[in-house]
Amino acid sequence: MERPSSAVAVERNAFEAYGDAAVGTRIVGDLLRFNKGDWLAGQDQDELEIGTRLVANLPELMVGWVKWVDGKPEDQRMGRVADGFVPPSRASLGDLDEEEWETDEEGRPRDPWQKTNYLLLKAEEGDQLYTLAGSSSGMLTAIGTLAREYGKRIRMRPDEVPVIELGRDKYKHKVYSWVKVPVLKIVGWVKADVFADALAAEAAARDDGEAGPAHDPETGEIPFDAPPAPAAPAKPAQAAKATRAAGKRAEAPATQF
């Protein structure tokens, strides 16, 4: 029988937590989003082909809520799953009067608070980084499914992260006809420390003022206050322990329409 890898869990103190909050105010690398069946990266919306392989930094998965006003993020309640963060209930965020909400293209009230996930990705070859951002039910389902498989894996191999393949699927919707949804297929596993060099390069570029500004997840614009970006990978044993604890309380992955 295979035994889990052993490591000493190290608790982050208040100064480390403050440091994470202070420096974690940027989208790391290029923003990646799924738009009408296409995977688009960066301000130029470069298309990543179906089948592109990336490494997913699940220990730094961030979940929560982002408030949008006039197409820009105004407030947020985001935290890391590995830290045991559980998003607050929608009711606790306020802004419950639908008459004061903005409307969508069809004139229907649109909730300003959107459930959101941020996941750091790296090219399978090289150090190119991406931050996958998503609020749609399809993306939340894809990331939730990925997180569930990762949670099972780290029970025995807490120092590994998945290699995923970008894909898409579709289903018949009773109102919108065919709807395309993202697919994040696990095709392998690698050591979590593969992110070390890429994150070090990103940090150096940021210190030198070379890193690009944060992007608006919906429009590609530069918001006045960007969502927190993932930090370096958590200690393997710490991530496994926190994930097991959070799993008892976390909400189930969002379902599609």
Side-chain angles (χ1 to χ4, degrees):
M1 179 177 177
E2 195 174 18
R3 294 182 179 276
S5 301
S6 61
V8 178
V10 179
E11 296 295 334
R12 290 159 58 244
N13 59 41
F15 290 95
E16 291 173 316
Y18 170 76
D20 286 348
V23 303
T25 57
R26 306 174 63 87
I27 294 293
V28 175
D30 287 341
L31 184 74
L32 177 63
R33 58 197 182 96
F34 183 79
N35 183 30
K36 298 180 180 179
D38 296 325
W39 291 96
L40 305 176
Q43 288 180 308
D44 294 333
Q45 299 191 54
D46 296 323
E47 184 174 353
L48 298 189
E49 296 181 357
I50 297 297
T52 296
R53 292 189 174 187
L54 304 168
V55 184
N57 193 346
L58 264 298
E60 297 302 327
L61 172 62
M62 300 190 71
V63 300
W65 299 89
V66 175
K67 180 181 179 180
W68 295 85
V69 177
D70 294 329
K72 297 181 180 180
E74 181 180 84
D75 199 358
Q76 63 182 4
R77 300 291 188 275
M78 299 287 293
R80 300 195 302 183
V81 173
D83 290 334
F85 177 78
V86 177
S89 67
R90 172 63 187 89
S92 69
L93 299 174
D95 299 300
L96 302 177
D97 188 350
E98 295 189 15
E99 293 185 358
E100 297 182 358
W101 291 0
E102 297 175 359
T103 56
D104 61 18
E105 297 177 352
E106 298 180 5
R108 297 173 303 185
R110 179 172 54 198
D111 192 341
W113 287 96
Q114 295 293 312
K115 186 175 289 187
T116 302
N117 284 183
Y118 289 100
L119 177 62
L120 181 63
L121 304 172
K122 187 186 84 67
E124 185 179 30
E125 302 293 338
D127 291 334
Q128 175 63 52
L129 294 172
Y130 303 92
T131 296
L132 174 60
S135 298
S136 69
S137 61
M139 183 62 76
L140 296 180
T141 296
I143 295 177
T145 300
L146 183 63
R148 182 174 57 208
E149 294 305 310
Y150 171 72
K152 295 176 182 178
R153 181 77 174 190
I154 62 174
R155 292 180 183 275
M156 299 301 296
R157 297 180 182 273
D159 58 343
E160 294 184 349
V161 292
V163 178
I164 62 172
E165 191 172 85
L166 300 181
R168 62 172 171 247
D169 198 357
K170 63 181 180 179
Y171 68 95
K172 188 69 175 292
H173 189 273
K174 61 182 180 180
V175 175
Y176 302 107
S177 187
W178 288 101
V179 177
K180 295 178 181 178
V181 294
V183 174
L184 304 173
K185 179 183 178 181
I186 297 177
V187 294
W189 297 85
V190 296
K191 299 296 184 182
D193 59 10
V194 298
F195 279 91
D197 290 343
L199 287 169
E202 169 73 17
R206 183 169 61 246
D207 292 341
D208 293 339
E210 297 177 2
H215 306 116
D216 182 315
E218 297 296 329
T219 67
E221 297 177 353
I222 301 172
F224 72 93
D225 184 17
K235 299 291 184 180
Q238 178 187 2
K241 179 180 178 181
T243 301
R244 287 195 298 271
K248 297 178 180 179
R249 301 171 301 186
E251 298 178 350
T255 56
Q256 299 176 5
F257 292 103

